[in-house]
């Protein structure tokens, strides 16, 4: 599946099993946060999984609406995964406002 052009801020179904400990598990949507330049040449992508369990006070979570459903991007569950875990069809994109908010959370959580 490495030849699929996975796009930054695209949301795809991902199979996260098997997992360990408190990692988010099962097949769920995830947003790709790695840059397109890397996505085009590597067999892995960096993702943040989505969850329907909302935690409005958690600073590492971003609430979004995707295809009519409230979800939360779990920035605290960021991980590198093989592209083989992803489905080829994008199920949605983040809005420009959500992209900017996600960049802010990623920067606050990991850049300092």
């Amino acid at each position: 599946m490495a030849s699929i052009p996975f796009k930054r801020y695209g949301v795809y179904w991902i199979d996260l099993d098997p997992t360990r400990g408190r990692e988010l598990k099962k097949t769920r949507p995830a947003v790709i946060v790695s840059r397109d330049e890397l996505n085009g040449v590597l067999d892995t992508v960096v993702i943040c999984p989505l969850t329907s369990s909302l935690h409005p006070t958690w600073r590492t979570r971003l609430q979004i609406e995707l295809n009519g459903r409230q979800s939360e991007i779990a920035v605290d569950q960021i991980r590198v995964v093989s592209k083989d875990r992803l489905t080829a069809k994008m199920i949605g994109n983040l809005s420009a406002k959500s992209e900017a908010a996600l960049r802010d959370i990623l920067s606050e959580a990991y850049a300092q």
Side-chain angles (χ1 to χ4, degrees):
M1 194 162 304
S3 63
I4 304 295
F6 292 107
K7 296 293 185 186
R8 187 177 196 193
Y9 305 122
V11 180
Y12 300 82
W13 286 104
I14 185 166
D15 179 3
L16 293 174
D17 291 328
T19 58
R20 296 180 76 165
R22 302 282 292 174
E23 296 171 342
L24 289 179
K25 54 186 136 208
K26 71 182 185 179
T27 300
R28 64 176 62 244
V31 61
I32 294 178
V33 296
S34 48
R35 294 175 141 321
D36 287 336
E37 298 83 6
L38 295 173
N39 298 339
V41 296
L42 298 177
D43 290 332
T44 58
V45 290
V46 180
I47 61 97
C48 291
L50 274 64
T51 178
S52 58
S53 298
L54 304 180
H55 302 89
T57 61
W58 291 16
R59 294 176 59 189
T60 58
R61 301 288 176 102
L62 176 63
Q63 291 188 18
I64 63 166
E65 184 176 314
L66 181 68
N67 299 333
R69 294 192 62 188
Q70 288 296 318
S71 297
E72 208 169 63
I73 300 172
V75 176
D76 54 291
Q77 292 276 335
I78 193 170
R79 65 186 85 172
V80 177
V81 297
S82 170
K83 289 178 179 176
D84 292 339
R85 289 182 176 267
L86 295 153
T87 60
K89 185 177 179 209
M90 189 182 330
I91 58 173
N93 275 306
L94 297 187
S95 67
K97 182 178 177 181
S98 292
E99 288 177 10
L102 180 56
R103 282 191 301 274
D104 288 345
I105 292 171
L106 285 164
S107 178
E108 182 179 320
Y110 300 109
Q112 299 190 9

